[in-house]
Amino acid sequence: MGYEILHHTEKDELEKVVRNYLERGWSLQGGVAVGVKNGNSEAYFQAVSKN
């Protein structure tokens, strides 16, 4: 079983990366992507796993 924490500064771009992982047999972990704002910058994170 493997885990990855995917991240990107743009939510739309993160969704593209996540979709690519899902097409390769990975599964979402934790539901929706988590957004973190630090000053003027933002980052979005999504955990995925593969059996």
Side-chain angles (χ1 to χ4, degrees), residues 21-36:
Y21 270 76
L22 296 179
E23 288 171 356
R24 293 187 289 144
W26 290 70
S27 300
L28 289 179
Q29 294 295 313
V32 298
V34 176
V36 178

Side-chain angles (χ1 to χ4, degrees):
M1 182 180 284
Y3 288 92
E4 291 283 340
I5 304 293
L6 308 176
H7 59 90
H8 204 286
T9 55
E10 300 290 334
K11 189 172 183 181
D12 292 344
E13 291 300 318
L14 175 61
E15 289 173 359
K16 290 178 188 176
V17 174
V18 169
R19 193 173 314 121
N20 184 278
Y21 270 76
L22 296 179
E23 288 171 356
R24 293 187 289 144
W26 290 70
S27 300
L28 289 179
Q29 294 295 313
V32 298
V34 176
V36 178
K37 189 165 190 165
N38 183 10
N40 291 332
S41 62
E42 292 181 318
Y44 296 91
F45 299 87
Q46 175 66 62
V48 293
S49 67
K50 189 169 190 177
N51 292 335

